[in-house]
CSV table of all heavy atoms in Angstrom, one decimal:
chain,number,residue,atom,x,y,z
Y,21,ASN,N,11.3,-184.5,15.8
Y,21,ASN,CA,10.3,-184.5,17.0
Y,21,ASN,C,9.6,-185.9,17.1
Y,21,ASN,O,9.1,-186.2,18.1
Y,21,ASN,CB,9.4,-183.3,16.9
Y,21,ASN,CG,10.0,-182.1,17.5
Y,21,ASN,OD1,10.1,-182.0,18.7
Y,21,ASN,ND2,10.4,-181.2,16.8
Y,65,MET,N,7.5,-186.8,20.6
Y,65,MET,CA,7.9,-187.6,21.8
Y,65,MET,C,7.9,-186.8,23.1
Y,65,MET,O,7.8,-187.4,24.1
Y,65,MET,CB,9.3,-188.1,21.5
Y,65,MET,CG,10.4,-187.2,21.6
Y,65,MET,SD,12.0,-187.8,20.9
Y,65,MET,CE,11.7,-187.8,19.2
Y,66,CYS,N,7.8,-185.5,22.9
Y,66,CYS,CA,7.8,-184.6,24.2
Y,66,CYS,C,7.0,-183.4,23.9
Y,66,CYS,O,7.0,-182.9,22.8
Y,66,CYS,CB,9.2,-184.2,24.7
Y,66,CYS,SG,9.0,-183.3,26.2
Y,67,GLN,N,6.1,-182.9,24.9
Y,67,GLN,CA,5.5,-181.7,24.6
Y,67,GLN,C,6.3,-180.5,24.3
Y,67,GLN,O,5.9,-179.5,23.7
Y,67,GLN,CB,4.5,-181.4,25.9
Y,67,GLN,CG,5.2,-181.6,27.3
Y,67,GLN,CD,6.1,-180.3,27.6
Y,67,GLN,OE1,5.8,-179.3,27.2
Y,67,GLN,NE2,7.1,-180.7,28.3
Y,68,ASP,N,7.6,-180.5,24.8
Y,68,ASP,CA,8.6,-179.5,24.5
Y,68,ASP,C,9.3,-179.8,23.3
Y,68,ASP,O,10.1,-180.7,23.2
Y,68,ASP,CB,9.5,-179.4,25.7
Y,68,ASP,CG,10.6,-178.3,25.5
Y,68,ASP,OD1,10.6,-177.7,24.4
Y,68,ASP,OD2,11.5,-178.1,26.3
Y,69,THR,N,8.8,-179.2,22.2
Y,69,THR,CA,9.3,-179.5,20.9
Y,69,THR,C,10.6,-178.6,20.5
Y,69,THR,O,11.1,-178.7,19.4
Y,69,THR,CB,8.2,-179.5,19.9
Y,69,THR,OG1,7.6,-178.2,19.9
Y,69,THR,CG2,7.2,-180.5,20.0
Y,70,GLY,N,11.0,-177.8,21.5
Y,70,GLY,CA,12.3,-177.2,21.4
Y,70,GLY,C,12.5,-176.0,20.6
Y,70,GLY,O,11.7,-175.6,19.9
Y,107,ARG,N,4.7,-177.8,19.2
Y,107,ARG,CA,4.5,-176.6,20.0
Y,107,ARG,C,5.4,-175.5,19.6
Y,107,ARG,O,6.6,-175.7,19.4
Y,107,ARG,CB,4.7,-177.0,21.5
Y,107,ARG,CG,4.3,-175.9,22.5
Y,107,ARG,CD,4.6,-176.2,23.9
Y,107,ARG,NE,6.1,-175.9,24.2
Y,107,ARG,CZ,6.6,-176.1,25.3
Y,107,ARG,NH1,5.9,-176.8,26.3
Y,107,ARG,NH2,7.9,-175.9,25.5
Y,144,ALA,N,16.2,-180.2,17.8
Y,144,ALA,CA,15.1,-179.6,18.5
Y,144,ALA,C,15.5,-179.6,19.9
Y,144,ALA,O,15.3,-180.6,20.6
Y,144,ALA,CB,13.8,-180.3,18.3
Y,145,LYS,N,16.0,-178.5,20.4
Y,145,LYS,CA,16.7,-178.4,21.8
Y,145,LYS,C,15.7,-178.1,22.9
Y,145,LYS,O,15.1,-177.0,22.9
Y,145,LYS,CB,17.8,-177.5,21.7
Y,145,LYS,CG,18.7,-177.5,22.9
Y,145,LYS,CD,19.5,-178.8,23.0
Y,145,LYS,CE,20.5,-178.8,24.1
Y,145,LYS,NZ,19.8,-178.7,25.5
Y,146,GLY,N,15.4,-179.0,23.8
Y,146,GLY,CA,14.5,-178.8,24.9
Y,146,GLY,C,15.0,-177.7,25.8
Y,146,GLY,O,16.2,-177.6,26.1
Y,147,GLY,N,14.0,-177.0,26.4
Y,147,GLY,CA,14.3,-175.9,27.3
Y,147,GLY,C,14.8,-176.3,28.7
Y,147,GLY,O,15.7,-175.6,29.2
Y,148,GLY,N,14.3,-177.4,29.2
Y,148,GLY,CA,14.7,-177.8,30.5
Y,148,GLY,C,16.2,-178.0,30.6
Y,148,GLY,O,16.9,-177.6,31.5
Y,149,ALA,N,16.8,-178.9,29.7
Y,149,ALA,CA,18.1,-179.2,29.7
Y,149,ALA,C,19.0,-178.0,29.4
Y,149,ALA,O,20.1,-177.9,29.9
Y,149,ALA,CB,18.4,-180.3,28.7
Y,150,GLU,N,18.5,-177.1,28.5
Y,150,GLU,CA,19.2,-176.0,28.1
Y,150,GLU,C,19.4,-175.1,29.3
Y,150,GLU,O,20.5,-174.5,29.5
Y,150,GLU,CB,18.5,-175.2,26.9
Y,150,GLU,CG,19.4,-174.2,26.2
Y,150,GLU,CD,20.4,-174.9,25.2
Y,150,GLU,OE1,20.4,-176.0,25.1
Y,150,GLU,OE2,21.1,-174.0,24.5
Y,180,PRO,N,17.4,-183.6,38.6
Y,180,PRO,CA,16.3,-184.0,37.6
Y,180,PRO,C,15.8,-183.0,36.6
Y,180,PRO,O,15.0,-183.3,35.7
Y,180,PRO,CB,15.2,-184.4,38.6
Y,180,PRO,CG,15.3,-183.4,39.8
Y,180,PRO,CD,16.9,-183.3,39.9
Y,181,ASN,N,16.2,-181.7,36.8
Y,181,ASN,CA,15.6,-180.6,36.0
Y,181,ASN,C,16.0,-180.7,34.6
Y,181,ASN,O,15.4,-180.0,33.8
Y,181,ASN,CB,16.1,-179.3,36.6
Y,181,ASN,CG,15.6,-179.1,38.0
Y,181,ASN,OD1,14.5,-179.7,38.4
Y,181,ASN,ND2,16.2,-178.3,38.8
Y,182,ALA,N,17.0,-181.4,34.2
Y,182,ALA,CA,17.5,-181.5,32.8
Y,182,ALA,C,16.9,-182.7,32.1
Y,182,ALA,O,17.3,-183.1,31.0
Y,182,ALA,CB,18.9,-181.4,32.6
Y,183,CYS,N,15.9,-183.4,32.7
Y,183,CYS,CA,15.3,-184.6,32.2
Y,183,CYS,C,16.2,-185.7,31.8
Y,183,CYS,O,16.3,-186.0,30.7
Y,183,CYS,CB,14.3,-184.2,31.1
Y,183,CYS,SG,13.1,-183.0,31.4
Y,184,PRO,N,16.9,-186.2,32.9
Y,184,PRO,CA,18.0,-187.3,32.5
Y,184,PRO,C,17.2,-188.6,32.2
Y,184,PRO,O,15.9,-188.8,32.4
Y,184,PRO,CB,18.7,-187.4,33.8
Y,184,PRO,CG,17.8,-186.9,34.9
Y,184,PRO,CD,16.9,-185.9,34.2
Y,239,GLN,N,15.1,-189.7,34.8
Y,239,GLN,CA,14.2,-188.8,35.3
Y,239,GLN,C,14.4,-188.3,36.7
Y,239,GLN,O,13.5,-187.8,37.4
Y,239,GLN,CB,12.7,-189.3,35.1
Y,239,GLN,CG,12.3,-189.4,33.7
Y,239,GLN,CD,12.1,-188.1,33.0
Y,239,GLN,OE1,12.9,-187.2,33.2
Y,239,GLN,NE2,11.1,-187.9,32.3
Y,269,ASN,N,21.9,-182.1,27.2
Y,269,ASN,CA,20.6,-182.6,26.4
Y,269,ASN,C,19.8,-183.6,27.2
Y,269,ASN,O,20.4,-184.5,27.8
Y,269,ASN,CB,21.0,-183.1,25.0
Y,269,ASN,CG,20.0,-182.8,24.0
Y,269,ASN,OD1,19.0,-182.3,24.3
Y,269,ASN,ND2,20.3,-183.1,22.7
Y,270,CYS,N,18.5,-183.5,27.1
Y,270,CYS,CA,17.7,-184.4,27.8
Y,270,CYS,C,17.6,-185.7,27.1
Y,270,CYS,O,18.2,-186.0,26.1
Y,270,CYS,CB,16.3,-183.7,27.9
Y,270,CYS,SG,15.6,-183.3,26.2
Y,271,HIS,N,16.7,-186.6,27.7
Y,271,HIS,CA,16.6,-188.0,27.0
Y,271,HIS,C,15.9,-187.8,25.7
Y,271,HIS,O,16.1,-188.7,24.8
Y,271,HIS,CB,15.7,-188.9,27.9
Y,271,HIS,CG,14.3,-188.3,28.2
Y,271,HIS,ND1,13.3,-188.4,27.2
Y,271,HIS,CD2,13.7,-187.7,29.3
Y,271,HIS,CE1,12.2,-187.8,27.7
Y,271,HIS,NE2,12.5,-187.4,28.9
Y,272,ALA,N,15.2,-186.7,25.4
Y,272,ALA,CA,14.7,-186.5,24.0
Y,272,ALA,C,15.8,-185.8,23.3
Y,272,ALA,O,15.7,-184.6,22.9
Y,272,ALA,CB,13.5,-185.6,24.1
Y,273,SER,N,16.9,-186.6,23.0
Y,273,SER,CA,18.0,-186.0,22.4
Y,273,SER,C,17.9,-186.1,20.8
Y,273,SER,O,18.2,-187.1,20.2
Y,273,SER,CB,19.3,-186.8,22.8
Y,273,SER,OG,20.4,-186.3,22.2
Y,274,ARG,N,17.2,-185.1,20.3
Y,274,ARG,CA,16.7,-185.2,18.9
Y,274,ARG,C,17.6,-184.4,17.9
Y,274,ARG,O,17.9,-183.3,18.0
Y,274,ARG,CB,15.3,-184.5,18.9
Y,274,ARG,CG,14.3,-185.1,19.8
Y,274,ARG,CD,13.2,-184.2,20.1
Y,274,ARG,NE,13.6,-183.1,20.9
Y,274,ARG,CZ,12.7,-182.4,21.7
Y,274,ARG,NH1,11.4,-182.7,21.7
Y,274,ARG,NH2,13.1,-181.4,22.4
H,1,SF4,S1,14.1,-180.8,28.5
H,1,SF4,FE1,13.7,-182.4,26.9
H,1,SF4,S2,12.6,-184.0,27.9
H,1,SF4,FE2,12.5,-182.2,29.3
H,1,SF4,S3,10.5,-181.2,28.7
H,1,SF4,FE3,12.1,-180.3,27.5
H,1,SF4,S4,12.3,-181.5,25.5
H,1,SF4,FE4,11.1,-182.7,27.0
Side-chain angles (χ1 to χ4, degrees):
N21 276 288
M65 69 193 75
C66 183
Q67 45 75 34
D68 176 0
T69 53
R107 192 185 80 184
K145 189 67 177 62
E150 195 78 356
N181 296 334
C183 303
Q239 289 289 47
N269 212 354
C270 54
H271 61 76
S273 180
R274 301 161 287 203

